[in-house]
């Protein structure tokens, strides 16, 4: 079987589903491949910044997101050793109902994908893209159904790679050769009920060899997401007497952070630990001539700043605004490279600072000597935490997208 579309999107997470919804709303014929069945859990901090409010209104999900998500986050904090520091999130005049919130990926991804489907996108799920090559008038993608092992060839003028960065594959946009290193960062996540964490607080956890975060998500649960170096985790396992890697890490965090110990005292775990890795922060843009990268496929910041979902959503917005504005030229092949160059420049202007900021904070949080040196200053200077929030991109919508996206 063979089908042809204006755009083929590989991956149905936040970046892929947002791209599909925006393009389909603008009249493009769109096919989206997603290999997993929904709902599904993901290793993710779950926090979504308030800077996505305009994009949510454009997608038509602003009200449903607020109804499903956890409480508004008004304060950020730092839990490190015996130090607990908190500060208000700079609001810049925003209403309290427009503050950031957390929503589990099992629910958030389903909402976005259903929005793409209702906008007219063809959603193939669970289907995987196993090969992609240039074809007359664009690209040809071989797709395989995970349930029935059926195959189908999808042709499209452009391809949007939204498959993330954590899995190897045979596509030209995927990694094929990872070498394990002691310094690799591995991601973990678990959810808990009956915690002592204040509902409006989202703290950063700094502990030897890693970092993490806590936030109230949906359905009365809190999410604990964290990254730890492979060599640090290896040191914890021998003394754990058969405990899982997640349980070893939880004990390490509680021993290292008074705030985490207090917040999780008496809490009960809801579900299993999830893990993924290695995390590979950085920029991965390639000159692909018609294959556009969004979300983590394009680049990612250390999860320490909790901006992964926001960057995925906003990268889709940046790309689709440019594709839609030059639809005829793109589909005829005349503007593909120009749009790609313009998008890449806008992406870097929007996200490069977040990636650099995240790298600095992450390496500080993982280094005990650096944490000890800076903690006294964090206690004495209350403006440091709000400054970090601003540098991470949580207080101001990307000017690249804000200037282009309609408010309606």
């Amino acid at each position: 079987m063979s089908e042809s579309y204006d755009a083929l999107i590989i991956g149905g997470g936040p970046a892929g589903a947002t791209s599909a919804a925006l393009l389909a709303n603008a009249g493009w014929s769109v096919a989206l491949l997603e290999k997993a069945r929904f709902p599904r859990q993901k290793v993710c901090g779950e926090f979504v910044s308030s800077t996505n409010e305009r994009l949510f209104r454009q997608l038509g999900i602003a009200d449903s997101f607020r109804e499903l998500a956890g409480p508004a986050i008004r304060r950020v904090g730092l839990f490190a050793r015996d130090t607990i520091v908190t500060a208000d999130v700079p609001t810049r005049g925003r209403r309290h109902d427009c503050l950031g919130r957390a929503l589990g990926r099992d629910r958030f991804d389903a909402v976005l994908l259903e929005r793409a489907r209702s906008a007219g996108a063809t959603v193939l799920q669970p289907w995987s893209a196993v090969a992609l090559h240039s074809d007359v008038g664009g690209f040809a993608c071989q797709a395989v159904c995970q349930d029935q092992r059926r195959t189908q060839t999808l042709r499209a003028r452009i391809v949007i790679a939204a498959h993330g960065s954590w899995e190897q594959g045979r596509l030209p946009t995927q990694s094929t050769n990872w070498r394990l290193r002691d310094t690799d960062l591995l991601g973990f996540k678990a959810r808990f009920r009956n915690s002592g964490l204040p509902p409006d607080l989202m703290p950063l956890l700094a502990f030897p060899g890693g970092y993490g975060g806590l936030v109230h998500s949906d359905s009365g649960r809190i999410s604990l997401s964290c990254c730890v170096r492979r060599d640090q985790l290896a040191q914890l396992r021998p003394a754990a007497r058969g405990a899982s890697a997640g349980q070893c890490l939880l004990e390490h965090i509680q021993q290292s952070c008074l705030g985490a110990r207090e917040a999780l005292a008496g809490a009960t775990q809801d579900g299993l630990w999830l893990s993924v890795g290695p995390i590979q922060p950085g920029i991965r843009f390639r000159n692909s001539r018609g294959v556009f990268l969004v979300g983590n496929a394009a680049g990612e910041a250390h999860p320490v700043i909790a901006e992964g979902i926001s960057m995925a959503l906003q990268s889709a917005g940046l790309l689709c605004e440019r594709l839609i504005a030059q639809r005829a030229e793109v589909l005829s092949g005349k503007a593909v490279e120009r749009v790609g160059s313009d998008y890449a420049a806008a992406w870097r202007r929007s996200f490069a600072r977040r990636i650099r900021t995240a790298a600095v904070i992450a390496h500080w949080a993982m280094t005990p000597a650096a944490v000890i040196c800076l903690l006294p200053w964090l206690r004495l200077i209350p403006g440091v935490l709000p400054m970090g929030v601003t540098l991470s991109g949580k207080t101001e919508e990307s000017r690249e997208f804000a200037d282009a996206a309609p408010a309606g």
Side-chain angles (χ1 to χ4, degrees):
M1 296 178 61
S2 178
E3 298 286 344
S4 296
Y5 299 88
D6 294 335
L8 169 65
I9 299 171
I10 303 173
T18 297
S19 298
L22 292 174
L23 292 179
N25 273 334
W28 291 53
S29 61
V30 178
L32 183 149
L33 294 173
E34 169 52 51
K35 67 178 184 178
R37 286 194 176 277
F38 287 3
R40 52 95 187 266
Q41 291 284 356
K42 297 281 286 185
V43 177
C44 173
E46 302 185 353
F47 178 76
V48 184
S49 170
S50 62
T51 56
N52 298 289
E53 177 71 14
R54 181 193 296 258
L55 180 56
F56 281 2
R57 294 201 304 270
Q58 187 179 355
L59 290 169
I61 64 168
D63 291 339
S64 59
F65 174 78
R66 280 195 294 271
E67 291 171 2
L68 292 172
I73 300 302
R74 295 179 169 85
R75 295 184 295 151
V76 292
L78 171 67
F79 294 171
R81 296 172 65 85
D82 60 350
T83 295
I84 298 175
V85 181
T86 65
D88 291 340
V89 174
T91 60
R92 295 182 181 270
R94 289 192 302 274
R95 306 186 313 273
H96 286 312
D97 62 349
C98 291
L99 293 173
R101 301 167 187 265
L103 178 60
R105 291 288 298 275
D106 53 336
R107 307 187 77 178
F108 187 48
D109 287 11
V111 167
L112 284 172
L113 194 61
E114 180 56 35
R115 183 67 192 89
R117 185 182 285 109
S118 65
T122 298
V123 177
L124 299 176
Q125 185 183 29
W127 284 73
S128 293
V130 296
L132 179 68
H133 60 268
S134 298
D135 192 41
V136 177
F139 298 88
C141 175
Q142 183 181 2
V144 175
C145 178
Q146 298 295 322
D147 287 347
Q148 303 173 8
R149 306 308 298 175
R150 291 183 293 120
T151 63
Q152 184 171 352
T153 299
L154 303 174
R155 290 181 166 81
R157 185 65 190 84
I158 66 166
V159 173
I160 298 177
H163 48 58
S165 65
W166 296 349
E167 296 180 8
Q168 299 183 33
R170 292 184 291 171
L171 302 180
T173 54
Q174 291 178 313
S175 299
T176 58
N177 185 23
W178 286 350
R179 185 176 62 185
L180 300 182
R181 299 179 175 89
D182 287 343
T183 56
D184 284 343
L185 279 177
L186 307 178
F188 288 82
K189 171 185 169 181
R191 296 172 123 189
F192 297 84
R193 293 187 181 274
N194 304 315
S195 79
L197 183 71
D200 66 342
L201 176 64
M202 183 173 67
L204 164 66
L205 313 178
F207 54 88
Y211 58 79
L214 290 167
V215 68
H216 276 268
S217 186
D218 58 278
S219 305
R221 299 174 292 186
I222 69 164
S223 173
L224 166 62
S225 56
C226 49
C227 291
V228 62
R229 283 174 48 132
R230 189 189 300 275
D231 53 2
Q232 178 67 61
L233 186 61
Q235 293 177 24
L236 301 175
R237 296 298 296 273
R241 299 179 181 178
S244 68
Q247 187 61 36
C248 293
L249 184 54
L250 177 61
E251 293 177 3
H252 178 56
I253 292 171
Q254 290 178 306
Q255 291 172 3
S256 305
C257 302
L258 171 64
R261 193 158 60 246
E262 293 180 346
L264 295 172
T268 57
Q269 188 171 328
D270 185 357
L272 301 175
W273 279 95
L274 303 177
S275 63
V276 73
I279 311 298
Q280 300 189 75
I283 297 174
R284 286 180 279 274
F285 265 107
R286 302 179 180 91
N287 183 15
S288 51
R289 299 183 179 180
V291 179
F292 301 94
L293 280 63
V294 293
N296 282 1
E300 62 187 299
H302 275 272
V304 70
I305 61 171
E307 279 293 288
I309 297 177
S310 294
M311 290 175 61
L313 295 167
Q314 292 164 23
S315 67
L318 288 173
L319 173 61
C320 291
E321 184 273 329
R322 286 158 174 78
L323 291 174
I324 292 168
Q326 301 185 63
R327 175 181 177 179
E329 293 85 351
V330 169
L331 296 182
S332 67
K334 297 177 181 178
V336 170
E337 291 193 40
R338 182 171 69 249
V339 168
S341 298
D342 184 31
Y343 165 60
W347 192 98
R348 290 176 184 273
R349 288 192 295 268
S350 297
F351 306 127
R353 187 180 74 174
R354 293 189 219 185
I355 291 175
R356 291 193 295 268
T357 298
V360 171
I361 297 174
H363 286 97
W364 169 80
M366 290 188 290
T367 308
V371 171
I372 292 171
C373 288
L374 192 57
L375 281 181
W377 297 101
L378 290 172
R379 298 187 193 101
L380 292 172
I381 306 175
V384 173
L385 284 181
M387 181 177 66
V389 171
T390 299
L391 290 174
S392 70
K394 288 183 174 59
T395 61
E396 187 173 357
E397 186 178 15
S398 167
R399 183 53 51 196
E400 297 292 335
F401 185 66
D403 289 341

